[in-house]
Amino acid sequence: MLIELPDACNNRRVEIIVLAADEPVTVGRRLHPHIAGRVQINGDILGSLPESDWDLPR
């Protein structure tokens, strides 16, 4: 496969990310502008469940 880059990329280091078309693409989530910066966390949310329930990669 050959990818043609614009002339602005000549003599520069570039990074190309290739995603498989048959895999679903995860879309980043953002807070709604009406609540962004207004949410306060009271208490320890990470300690509310055992670590095994968070389903985190090891």
Side-chain angles (χ1 to χ4, degrees):
M1 173 187 298
L2 179 64
I3 299 174
E4 292 188 36
L5 300 175
D7 291 337
C9 294
N10 288 346
N11 299 319
R12 293 181 177 253
R13 183 177 171 195
V14 297
E15 180 178 336
I16 299 173
I17 299 173
V18 179
L19 301 174
D22 58 338
E23 295 179 13
V25 177
T26 304
V27 177
R29 297 180 70 183
R30 295 185 185 156
L31 289 175
H32 191 277
H34 291 154
I35 64 170
R38 297 180 184 209
V39 176
Q40 292 182 349
I41 299 173
N42 296 321
D44 180 16
I45 62 169
L46 296 177
S48 62
L49 292 171
E51 187 178 335
S52 59
D53 289 348
W54 282 95
D55 194 27
L56 297 173
R58 304 237 179 235

